[in-house]
Structures are given as structure tokens and as C-alpha cells.
Amino acid sequence: DPQATTVNSEAVFYFPGCGSERLFSQVGLATQAMLWHAGVQTVLPPGYLCCGYPQRGSGQVDKADKMITDNRVLFHRVSTTLNYLDIKTVVVSCGTCYDQLAGYDFDQIFPGSRIIDIHEFLLEKGITLPAAARGAYLYHEPCHNPMKLGDSTRTVKALVGDNVLKSERCCGESGTLGVTRPDVATQVRFRKEEEIRKGEAALRASGAVGAQDNVKILTSCPSCLQGLKRYQDDLSNGLLEADYIVIEMARHILGEH
């Protein structure tokens, strides 16, 4: 933001990954919008990159290792070219990417840097929903949880308000499980559906959500977002809506579009 940043402003490197760039590009856009709002300079990888976790997770270790090496070489070039920015923070919006990038030795690529999830980064900056915009939500904590600095439910409550109810159990998507073993994932899904119904009923019973209002279930993982969207047609006559925490924040703080 030319109005809010100078050449000396804090600079961050944002790695969107497949989920936030290709699967749900609105996550990557919302993340960039909130980084803009936070008054930092944001550097993106040159072109689309995958972190290599899906390949490693499906047993294609050689392919994953090659991708990781290629990515690290590219990041070293970015660091050398932009060394005047003194990047100290690598931001992610996906826990799977976080787990994979933790092995990239980023502190050697951008000396002294750390990796952090966008939601914890925003909380660090004191950016939360204003009191008037705070609603009631269900929160689904991903298996690959990107929030590493503290209890994620507490972090979500600090960001969007205290009226947040944690929805237990795996969503069934589990990275690529939903497409590779739909028979297993479907069984997981039935159990999660019970939890969502329970949480939704509790929010409505408390009066926090009206009888005909949408219940929003928020998460911080692109794969979980895909998994949770599978419940939308089956629950509450279409009154369940799955979304990302940073998207919900961008919508209220920066406007619908």
C-alpha cells in the first residue's frame, strides 16, 4: 500500500501453496488483502509453486525431494535479489504447507526468519474484528493445524469474538484421503456430521444464531474447507456455510468485495 508503507516498512514472504492459490484462490486473495491492511510489504513466489507435501504424502518421495530442492534454490534467488527488504517473516495460510516448509531451513534462506500462520500474524498486529462485526461461529480445527503459537480456539476467539464453539472430529477430507479412499472418508464424514449438527443446535439454542440464519463453520485449512463444503447441502436446509477465518475477517474489515 503506497499510502501506508515505505521502503523501510516490514517485509514478509507469503507462500500461498496449492490450496490457497489453486483450490480456493479467495484464501490467497484475502490473505494478501489483510497483509496490505496490516501495512507490510508482501513478497510472493514468482509463479505458482507446490510445497511438495502431497507428493511426499502419497509416497512419491523422489518427486517431492526434487520439488523441495527446486523451491529452495528459487527462494535463495528471491532472498539474494531482495536482500534490501530484510525479510524476517514467512507467512502461510495452510497448515500442510507450514509442516512441509518447516523443513526448508528458511532461517538460512531469509536469515533469522520465522514461519507463521496468517491468523496468528494478524493477531500479533492487533488486527481483530470490531465489536460490532463479531458473530457466532463453529470452528473446525484442522489435523494439520497451522496455528502453532498457542491454543487455536483461543486464537480464533481473539480474532472473531468469544462466541465460537469448537466442532470436534476430522472432516473426512484429510488431505487426499477424501479422493483416494472415499470409502473410509465417508465413514469419518458421518461422525463429523453428528458433531456439526450438535454444535449448530447449541448455537441456535443459545440465541446467538437465529432459526433461519446461516451457521458459519470457519477453518484454517484449504483441504478442510473442501471437506466442510461437502456438508452444506446435507445440513440445515442449506443454512450451513463453510468459510475461512481470514476471508471472514477481510469481508467485515475491508468490505464484501
Side-chain angles (χ1 to χ4, degrees):
D1 180 358
Q3 309 302 319
T5 56
T6 68
V7 288
N8 298 318
S9 296
E10 180 185 357
V12 304
F13 179 79
Y14 171 44
F15 184 87
C18 319
S20 303
E21 188 170 344
R22 294 296 167 95
L23 191 59
F24 295 107
S25 57
Q26 66 268 35
V27 173
L29 290 170
T31 299
Q32 289 174 67
M34 291 307 292
L35 288 170
W36 172 285
H37 179 67
V40 298
Q41 303 179 81
T42 304
V43 175
L44 289 160
Y48 161 71
L49 293 177
C50 173
C51 69
Y53 195 104
Q55 292 72 20
R56 197 183 78 181
S58 61
Q60 298 172 291
V61 179
D62 291 348
K63 188 167 188 179
D65 287 345
K66 183 184 185 308
M67 291 170 71
I68 291 163
T69 302
D70 290 347
N71 287 350
R72 292 188 70 220
V73 168
L74 186 59
F75 296 155
H76 273 289
R77 286 180 184 154
V78 170
S79 175
T80 303
T81 307
L82 302 177
N83 61 357
Y84 60 91
L85 286 177
D86 194 26
I87 293 168
K88 288 280 185 274
T89 303
V90 176
V91 173
V92 294
S93 51
C94 166
T96 307
C97 286
Y98 189 121
D99 290 352
Q100 183 74 335
L101 295 181
Y104 272 49
D105 295 323
F106 262 108
D107 55 338
Q108 294 174 23
I109 298 169
F110 302 112
S113 66
R114 48 119 187 215
I115 305 175
I116 189 170
D117 173 60
I118 179 61
H119 303 101
E120 291 183 322
F121 183 78
L122 292 175
L123 191 57
E124 269 188 9
K125 297 292 178 193
I127 298 172
T128 61
L129 283 190
R134 295 186 164 220
Y137 302 98
L138 291 177
Y139 165 57
H140 172 80
E141 184 180 73
C143 307
H144 290 177
N145 190 356
M147 300 186 208
K148 312 284 190 187
L149 300 181
D151 179 71
S152 68
T153 307
R154 217 174 287 162
T155 300
V156 177
K157 285 184 175 184
L159 290 170
V160 301
D162 285 332
N163 218 338
V164 172
L165 200 58
K166 186 178 177 184
S167 177
E168 300 290 352
R169 297 275 175 166
C170 171
C171 66
E173 202 67 20
S174 277
T176 56
L177 177 73
V179 289
T180 54
R181 287 302 303 269
D183 54 334
V184 177
T186 299
Q187 296 306 310
V188 176
R189 189 175 173 280
F190 287 137
R191 186 62 186 80
K192 178 64 175 179
E193 194 170 307
E194 283 180 34
E195 288 299 322
I196 294 176
R197 286 186 193 278
K198 219 189 316 178
E200 181 202 0
L203 283 183
R204 294 199 193 280
S206 71
V209 179
Q212 292 305 311
D213 293 335
N214 275 12
V215 168
K216 277 200 169 179
I217 183 164
L218 301 179
T219 191
S220 58
C221 164
S223 180
C224 289
L225 183 57
Q226 177 164 278
L228 294 170
K229 281 184 177 291
R230 298 181 191 274
Y231 298 89
Q232 288 185 172
D233 294 335
D234 296 347
L235 290 159
S236 310
N237 307 314
L239 291 180
L240 181 85
E241 190 181 341
D243 216 339
Y244 226 76
I245 302 160
V246 73
I247 293 174
E248 185 71 1
M249 292 181 70
R251 183 180 288 122
H252 284 294
I253 294 170
L254 306 174
E256 189 63 38
H257 302 294

